[in-house]
Amino acid sequence: MITPLHGYRVLDLTSREGGLCAQILGDLGADVIQIEPSGGIEARRRAPFIEGREDSEASLSWRAYARGKRSIVLDVDQPEDRQTILELIRRADFLVESEPVGGTVAGLDRAGLAALNPRLIHISITPFGSTGPRAHWQGSDIVVMAAGGPMAITGDDDRAPVRTSVPQAFQHAAIEGAFGALVALHERHRSGLGQHIDISAQQCVTICTQSAVVGALVNATPVARNAKGPRVGPIQIRLTYPASDGFCSITHIFGPAAGPATARLMHYVHDRGYCDATMRDKDWIGYGLLLGTGAEPIENFEAAKAAVAACTGATSKADLLDAAMERRLLLAPVNTMTDMLESPQLAARGYFRKLPGEAEGLRYPGPFVKFSQTPIEYTRAAPKLDAHRDEVMAELAANKPTEIPPGVAWSVDAGDSRPLAGLKVLDFMWAIAGPQTTRSLADFGATVVRIESSSRLDACRTVAPFMNASNDPEESALFHGANAGKLMLTLDLTKPEAKDVVFDLVRWADVVCESYSPRAMKAFGLDWEVLREINPKLIMLSTCLMGQTGPLALYAGFGNLAAAISGFNEVVGWPDREPVGPYGAYTDYIAPRYNGAAILAALEHRRRTGEGQYIDMSQAEAAVHFLAPAILDYDANGHVMSRMGNADLQYAPHGAYRTRGDDQWIAIACEDDMQWQALAKQMGIDGDDERFASAGARKLNEAALDALVSRFVADQDANALAEQLQSHGVPAYPVQNSAEAVVDPQLNHLRHFHRVEHPSGGHSVIEATRSRLSRTPGKPADVAPTFGTGMMDVLQGILGYGDEKVGELLVAGVLE
């Protein structure tokens, strides 16, 4: 079996952040060589550690993202080692680095690397991008999450904004880098040239706002931080409920998308004896309107929430999940790391894996995707420092070239230089994770035909932010951002004639993507076994919350529930309060880049072999990689990671501190003694005070240190203070909501916000492509389609149907 990236070589020069990028390429079959300094990269010194051993082999944060790599120690200051690095670069296909802006690799800047190896695909992962007014700013996880928008809308409204206690920001940047690298690879097959890929972690984490970051530009209702759930006037939604052994997350809302599930929930509560028939039989679809007009007293909704809480509080998480499966409830247990490792669903899918040669036998998150023809296999544990020097040097001496067959993966248009021009995608995606995947492909030139129904609205159309707070399903900026640049065809898939249209599109397509529950495509007669007979070279991606197999395969819901069931909710919030969970449908922000990487990898396999394949993507399984250090911590040490507010396992000060103004905060993090001394000088205190002189001392005296920082910042302007601190090398950034983010000088330098005219009048704003390719950049091609637009482009322009054929489809009611 030939893996998709077999024969390609990746040089990993990341130090503290970004190791997941090269690991993904390695999982897909590339040979990854980690070049390290004599003491090892900084990631080897990141907590947690096996049994508290702070040595170069015991860091679980490092092991989590070092699987499958080889290690060689090379000192760039030694002439012989520098020549070895240059020779490795000359022969590499990919180079991933996280050097500070302005830094060099073996003395070579970006242009020098390209001159040395014109075919090199060079990925730079930095906090804020490699150009712009704040490109040189220092950025840690909490600082980036503050700068990009997610933190401002996460947490309790009476406390500081909060981050996820397991660092997330640079994992988002890493998977974006892997996706961008594969886009550039397919472009290289045409041009023969590599290019630079600039990844800004700040820009990458804006996706975690679920488009709320653009709200101020479309006059949408602002999103406010509220751990309890959304609040509309006096109506307080509750999303987290007790269980007898922890907590559960319930999408306890109304309207056509979620109201039916709420009705089923209330039937369950009634059947358990916790509410009467009158409460059970409320109009839960139209309940929001009833509350808003006063026809239904707020007190009745409060009573309903109390009844739900009494019911769930008397029930275990396992029994609640069983009820959710049986009754199709929008409910998920808030799983801990213990729950994750004991999950029957993950066990049934053979998810957790032990690594060959690892003495401790730890269980690692498994493949981020299941390929039918080229399954991901873990072949090597995280390397001991310099373990592969001899074999790497022997390979260089042998100078044996790797033979990778030429050619392209699809029929290309020679007149279109966009990386994915000519790639044809049939899109059955809905909600957020799926459409964001195909939007990314469209940004780089793919032709994407979206199939939708006007009678069964995509849930994404019903979610804010809306243009001018309209609630019109055509005016959701979230929908616009997820579907920009696509063509659309509205079909009634229950009609037999619709299937013929789909079959014609399958013959046209290179890729089919769908994000329904596992039984839906089979019910339509459009499952993989049917479609592969029509187009044997087809690549089909099916993405859903839990994957296509296992006892929870038919579990339906949104990314907020997948976040709870995957362990994220447990690690967001304050230790003395119930879990908050990350903002919105969190796994929907992780899955798109993994989906995109999987599609492009499958296309690379097809390019070599002519073979199509099926891709089974579980959002939950992909997302768990972002919690890998916590999973390993439990397996190695028995420590169950939980929410820590804004505290860090190692660093202090580390938090969000209130500044002058209404709900204004600044994130500050000192990750080494130099940063601490710089902060102490600005605060006018003695940095060598024995309470704070070392990292360990600062952690022991964290409460006192936080009090000092809080007093220092309390009367200051957050922006001015961030400028001041950053000028002295201290990582700091204002905690930005939409109003601040849309005028952020760095995001605007990166042209992150694209204003587009909307067909109904006015304008919307969509966010930019986050992988910034130097030669062949992607960009949003157009506004998202509205109902009825693009139909003839698809039927006549792509399928070649004549007027008579189109008329027959209209008469049959196939076209909505």
Side-chain angles (χ1 to χ4, degrees), residues 228-230 237-243 247-253 258 261-266 268-269 304-305 307-313 320 324 329-334 555 558 560-561 564 569:
K228 298 179 182 67
I237 301 297
R238 182 175 182 179
L239 299 178
T240 301
Y241 284 85
F247 298 92
C248 65
S249 176
I250 302 177
T251 307
H252 195 184
I253 56 177
T262 297
R264 294 192 291 271
L265 171 69
M266 298 313 297
Y268 170 66
V269 172
K305 290 189 292 183
V308 172
C311 178
T312 60
L320 287 169
L329 307 180
L330 293 178
L331 180 155
V334 173
Y555 179 81
F558 304 105
N560 63 314
L561 300 180
N569 286 29

Side-chain angles (χ1 to χ4, degrees), residues 231-540:
R231 186 179 185 91
V232 182
I235 305 170
Q236 175 63 67
I237 301 297
R238 182 175 182 179
L239 299 178
T240 301
Y241 284 85
S244 63
D245 53 352
F247 298 92
C248 65
S249 176
I250 302 177
T251 307
H252 195 184
I253 56 177
F254 326 115
T262 297
R264 294 192 291 271
L265 171 69
M266 298 313 297
H267 274 75
Y268 170 66
V269 172
H270 172 267
D271 292 350
R272 294 285 310 282
Y274 289 95
C275 77
D276 60 21
T278 301
M279 181 178 288
R280 177 196 66 190
D281 295 335
K282 301 279 188 186
D283 176 10
W284 295 108
I285 294 175
Y287 200 70
L289 180 61
L290 296 174
L291 289 171
T293 60
E296 176 77 351
I298 297 293
E299 293 76 15
N300 287 359
F301 182 43
E302 294 300 319
K305 290 189 292 183
V308 172
C311 178
T312 60
T315 312
S316 70
K317 291 189 292 185
D319 287 344
L320 287 169
L321 181 57
D322 288 343
M325 289 294 297
E326 179 184 346
R327 296 178 180 246
R328 294 183 297 124
L329 307 180
L330 293 178
L331 180 155
V334 173
N335 278 340
T336 65
M337 301 307 128
T338 308
D339 298 325
M340 296 303 299
L341 280 166
E342 295 174 356
S343 163
Q345 170 68 12
L346 297 179
R349 286 173 59 84
Y351 179 63
F352 288 108
R353 305 288 176 91
K354 295 184 178 182
L355 303 184
E358 185 184 73
E360 295 84 0
L362 302 180
R363 290 171 289 178
Y364 286 73
F368 66 86
V369 72
K370 289 181 177 288
F371 292 106
S372 63
Q373 303 303 114
T374 56
I376 292 172
E377 299 291 344
Y378 293 172
T379 58
R380 183 182 284 122
K384 294 185 181 301
L385 188 62
D386 204 31
H388 302 95
R389 165 177 286 276
D390 290 346
E391 66 185 51
V392 171
M393 297 302 291
E395 289 165 4
L396 287 176
N399 197 23
K400 182 179 179 181
T402 301
E403 294 187 6
I404 297 175
V408 294
W410 59 83
S411 299
V412 301
D413 179 354
D416 191 337
S417 64
R418 293 176 298 167
L420 304 185
L423 179 64
K424 301 181 288 292
V425 181
L426 180 57
D427 177 357
F428 290 93
M429 303 289 215
W430 80 300
I432 302 173
Q436 284 282 8
T437 300
T438 45
R439 149 76 199 277
S440 295
L441 301 176
D443 282 356
F444 286 103
T447 300
V448 179
V449 174
R450 171 180 170 80
I451 304 298
E452 195 175 344
S453 170
S454 58
S455 59
R456 184 177 182 268
L457 284 181
D458 186 332
C460 195
R461 289 183 177 272
T462 69
V463 179
F466 289 97
M467 296 164 53
N468 302 312
S470 69
N471 294 324
D472 186 326
E474 294 281 32
E475 296 187 352
S476 165
L478 174 62
F479 179 84
H480 301 160
N483 292 286
K486 303 177 185 180
L487 300 170
M488 187 168 77
L489 184 61
T490 49
L491 290 179
D492 182 351
L493 292 176
T494 65
K495 302 284 187 181
E497 298 87 347
K499 190 183 298 186
D500 294 332
V501 177
V502 171
F503 287 168
D504 285 342
L505 285 167
V506 169
R507 294 183 184 95
W508 163 83
D510 297 295
V511 179
V512 170
C513 303
E514 62 92 9
S515 58
Y516 300 133
S517 66
R519 60 188 171 192
M521 291 297 276
K522 191 172 187 66
F524 289 134
L526 301 174
D527 57 296
W528 167 240
E529 296 303 326
V530 172
L531 299 190
R532 69 188 296 193
E533 291 297 319
I534 296 170
N535 183 349
K537 293 187 176 182
L538 185 70
I539 291 161
M540 183 172 180

Side-chain angles (χ1 to χ4, degrees), residues 48-329:
F49 299 95
I50 297 174
E51 298 176 348
R53 285 191 347 250
E54 296 190 22
D55 62 54
S56 63
E57 314 298 340
S59 165
L60 296 170
S61 288
W62 165 73
R63 284 199 190 192
Y65 305 116
R67 179 191 67 247
K69 301 178 184 180
R70 299 193 287 171
S71 169
I72 182 171
V73 170
L74 295 169
D75 183 350
V76 71
D77 294 325
Q78 298 296 320
E80 186 175 340
D81 279 1
R82 182 175 183 273
Q83 288 304 311
T84 299
I85 296 172
L86 294 177
E87 187 59 32
L88 284 169
I89 293 171
R90 190 177 288 114
R91 301 186 192 186
D93 298 285
F94 304 92
L95 186 154
V96 188
E97 48 87 8
S98 56
E99 290 295 307
V101 173
T104 61
V105 175
L108 298 179
D109 61 11
R110 193 167 78 189
L113 291 169
L116 178 66
N117 181 356
R119 292 176 57 82
L120 183 68
I121 296 168
H122 172 195
I123 304 102
S124 296
I125 298 172
T126 59
F128 302 107
S130 61
T131 64
R134 294 180 173 176
H136 290 82
W137 279 28
Q138 302 291 313
S140 65
D141 177 73
I142 192 171
V143 167
V144 170
M145 295 304 276
M151 200 168 153
I153 52 180
T154 305
D156 300 86
D157 56 3
D158 62 341
R159 289 192 182 178
V162 71
R163 71 157 189 163
T164 303
S165 294
V166 180
Q168 299 288 291
F170 288 94
Q171 313 311 348
H172 285 282
I175 57 172
E176 186 68 46
F179 170 73
L182 292 171
V183 171
L185 176 65
H186 282 285
E187 193 281 333
R188 193 180 78 172
H189 292 320
R190 299 171 59 185
S191 68
L193 296 173
Q195 57 187 307
H196 180 251
I197 303 171
D198 186 7
I199 303 294
S200 157
Q202 178 195 22
Q203 192 174 23
C204 289
V205 302
T206 60
I207 196 174
C208 304
T209 71
Q210 201 168 293
S211 291
V213 72
V214 309
L217 294 176
V218 297
N219 301 316
T221 303
V223 175
R225 184 173 68 261
N226 190 339
K228 298 179 182 67
R231 186 179 185 91
V232 182
I235 305 170
Q236 175 63 67
I237 301 297
R238 182 175 182 179
L239 299 178
T240 301
Y241 284 85
S244 63
D245 53 352
F247 298 92
C248 65
S249 176
I250 302 177
T251 307
H252 195 184
I253 56 177
F254 326 115
T262 297
R264 294 192 291 271
L265 171 69
M266 298 313 297
H267 274 75
Y268 170 66
V269 172
H270 172 267
D271 292 350
R272 294 285 310 282
Y274 289 95
C275 77
D276 60 21
T278 301
M279 181 178 288
R280 177 196 66 190
D281 295 335
K282 301 279 188 186
D283 176 10
W284 295 108
I285 294 175
Y287 200 70
L289 180 61
L290 296 174
L291 289 171
T293 60
E296 176 77 351
I298 297 293
E299 293 76 15
N300 287 359
F301 182 43
E302 294 300 319
K305 290 189 292 183
V308 172
C311 178
T312 60
T315 312
S316 70
K317 291 189 292 185
D319 287 344
L320 287 169
L321 181 57
D322 288 343
M325 289 294 297
E326 179 184 346
R327 296 178 180 246
R328 294 183 297 124
L329 307 180

Side-chain angles (χ1 to χ4, degrees), residues 573-733:
W574 302 93
D576 60 334
R577 292 187 176 180
E578 65 183 24
V580 170
Y583 178 75
Y586 189 68
T587 61
D588 281 17
Y589 321 143
I590 298 172
R593 284 88 162 231
Y594 276 122
N595 285 336
I599 290 167
L600 294 173
L603 284 164
E604 173 64 13
H605 173 74
R606 191 180 77 174
R607 187 188 71 82
R608 298 183 182 202
T609 66
E611 186 177 51
Q613 64 179 311
Y614 182 68
I615 306 169
D616 172 6
M617 160 63 78
S618 159
Q619 282 189 39
E621 291 175 4
V624 168
H625 286 268
F626 278 38
L627 296 176
I631 293 286
L632 295 177
D633 189 20
Y634 174 72
D635 208 28
N637 302 319
H639 173 245
V640 181
M641 183 72 176
S642 190
R643 50 203 173 278
M644 300 167 56
N646 287 317
D648 186 83
L649 291 174
Q650 286 176 288
Y651 307 126
H654 191 281
Y657 304 92
R658 188 186 290 275
T659 59
R660 187 172 69 237
D662 181 26
D663 199 36
Q664 298 298 302
W665 305 79
I666 187 170
I668 299 174
C670 292
E671 297 188 331
D672 58 41
D673 290 340
M674 185 178 297
Q675 291 173 355
W676 160 244
Q677 291 291 344
L679 176 61
K681 184 175 181 179
Q682 295 305 302
M683 293 171 62
I685 65 174
D686 180 9
D688 293 322
D689 182 320
E690 64 179 11
R691 296 175 299 165
F692 311 130
S694 68
R698 291 193 291 277
K699 279 300 293 180
L700 285 173
N701 296 284
E702 189 165 15
L705 182 53
D706 279 342
L708 287 173
V709 177
S710 295
R711 284 199 293 272
F712 168 64
V713 308
D715 295 324
Q716 302 204 51
D717 174 77
N719 277 290
L721 180 58
E723 294 273 0
Q724 173 190 336
L725 294 178
Q726 286 280 1
S727 71
H728 291 86
V730 179
Y733 218 100

